Amino acid sequence: MMTIDQYTDLYGIVGFPLGHSLSPGMHNTAFRAVGLNAVYLAFETREINDCLRGMRALGIKGLSVTLPHKSAVIPLLDKVEDRAKRIGAVNTIVNSNGRLKGYNTDAVGALRSLQGVVDLPKRRCLIVGAGGAARAIAFMLKELDCELIIANRSKERGEELAASLGCPFVPLDEIKDIKTDLIIQTTSVGMHPDIDQCPVPENLLRKGTTVMDIIYNPLETKLLKLAKKNGCRTISGLGMFIYQGAEQFRLWTGLEAPVEVMTRAVKRALKNTL
Ligand code: ATR
């Protein structure tokens, strides 16, 4: 049994809508596993200014930040780490004695998920999508001297990201002849309930290519099914989700996150929501 008393530390997630967010279950399981007197709640809100005032006033120790607040929160913070500044998105806030600092743990999450499956430096990578997650992953891969190509449905957003990385942009409907070592799918196409959709043409899925989808619901998207069928190595979005959360846990508590316990909790929750 966990105790909630005057010493309990409060954490949470802010976003709108939050839907079936898996973060509360994951973080509360982690707190309990390492014996911390802390709770993590879901705050579904459009009012990011008021949220941060509340965080300061109530001494909330840490927040996860999700859509639509990841960029809007930046000017409200006392400090933002360089990586999050470059990405233009904060997904984690740490409150140290009233000073709020913003971080982006998506890049670390993606990196840890890719490590062990693919030898990253200097790979030729196709990133599908140009939203916040794509930006986080693309800047991380650029730091590892990967050769990047950005593919996106809307030209403006794709070209903007490609220009900030100094790499080529290809419209999503023209990617069928691109040769790559690694494909990273960052759009919402194929996510539950639209599980029969796949944004990548099958002829791009050649043997020897590694394909990562950042979607984790379902765990095996149509893209990953096709990739597996064609002899590609595949990586689901579960690892990135867990590892970005593990990095948040480390930033908030200074402790290594109990990754296995967190993974089990998220898998269980996914089974229940499907
Ligand atoms: P996140 O921050 O989670 O990455 P986002 O900023 O909303 O989310 O980005 C969503 C990405 O998914 C964008 O690249 C978007 O493409 P557009 O720039 O053209 O909007 C892409 N996306 C969303 N729905 C899509 C669809 N049906 N087909 C193709 N791309 C889609």
Side-chain angles (χ1 to χ4, degrees):
M1 270 301 286
M2 70 179 289
T3 312
I4 294 183
D5 58 18
Q6 71 270 38
Y7 303 112
T8 304
D9 288 332
L10 180 57
Y11 296 84
I13 179 166
V14 292
F16 192 96
L18 284 182
H20 297 288
S21 173
L22 299 176
S23 295
M26 175 172 74
H27 282 297
N28 285 314
T29 303
F31 289 149
R32 277 199 300 274
V34 300
L36 284 177
N37 185 354
V39 290
Y40 182 108
L41 302 177
F43 301 111
E44 188 170 71
T45 174
R46 289 193 167 96
E47 310 298 333
I48 190 65
N49 283 37
D50 292 347
C51 270
L52 289 214
R53 287 178 54 210
M55 184 178 194
R56 292 178 197 274
L58 301 175
I60 295 173
K61 290 275 171 135
L63 287 174
S64 306
V65 182
T66 187
L67 297 175
H69 306 312
K70 284 184 172 188
S71 302
V73 75
I74 291 179
L76 308 173
L77 298 165
D78 299 312
K79 209 165 187 295
V80 177
E81 64 157 356
D82 285 344
R83 168 176 276 161
K85 268 191 213 152
R86 269 199 305 279
I87 296 167
V90 157
N91 76 336
T92 310
I93 307 173
V94 178
N95 183 351
S96 313
N97 303 316
R99 276 182 62 77
L100 306 187
K101 182 166 177 186
Y103 297 83
N104 190 305
T105 67
D106 284 335
V108 175
L111 181 60
R112 284 181 69 180
S113 186
L114 285 159
Q115 275 167 346
V117 181
V118 57
D119 190 21
L120 271 178
K122 303 196 173 149
R123 291 287 154 181
R124 197 172 151 80
C125 309
L126 172 68
I127 306 227
V128 179
R135 289 186 75 83
I137 294 170
F139 279 101
M140 178 270 293
L141 291 174
K142 190 181 150 84
E143 281 173 30
L144 294 169
D145 292 329
C146 289
E147 192 186 324
L148 299 172
I149 303 167
I150 302 295
N152 197 47
R153 175 182 61 179
S154 81
K155 191 165 176 252
E156 307 75 56
R157 219 164 163 200
E159 277 184 342
E160 193 197 322
L161 176 57
S164 62
L165 292 157
C167 77
F169 163 75
V170 185
L172 191 54
D173 49 14
E174 291 173 25
I175 61 174
K176 65 179 188 324
D177 296 323
I178 292 174
K179 292 199 170 43
T180 58
D181 302 313
L182 176 62
I183 299 172
I184 302 185
Q185 197 304 108
T186 72
T187 78
S188 50
V189 180
M191 195 188 289
H192 182 78
D194 299 316
I195 58 170
D196 289 330
Q197 293 182 14
C198 174
V200 177
E202 192 168 351
N203 66 335
L204 226 61
L205 308 173
R206 303 178 196 98
K207 197 169 161 49
T209 307
T210 302
V211 181
M212 171 158 133
D213 199 326
I214 71 160
I215 293 172
Y216 53 86
N217 187 2
L219 278 179
E220 190 171 69
T221 56
K222 171 98 179 278
L223 168 64
L224 294 189
K225 276 194 184 116
L226 291 172
K228 219 177 236 177
K229 192 184 91 185
N230 286 285
C232 304
R233 273 172 302 193
T234 60
I235 306 172
S236 86
L238 183 71
M240 178 169 162
F241 177 68
I242 303 283
Y243 289 126
Q244 64 77 33
E247 179 64 5
Q248 294 186 317
F249 185 95
R250 194 186 64 79
L251 289 168
W252 289 330
T253 67
L255 303 172
E256 276 312 308
V259 169
E260 280 173 25
V261 180
M262 291 161 81
T263 306
R264 278 202 298 276
V266 171
K267 279 189 174 164
R268 239 188 345 262
L270 277 172
K271 263 192 202 134
N272 293 338
T273 57
L274 281 175

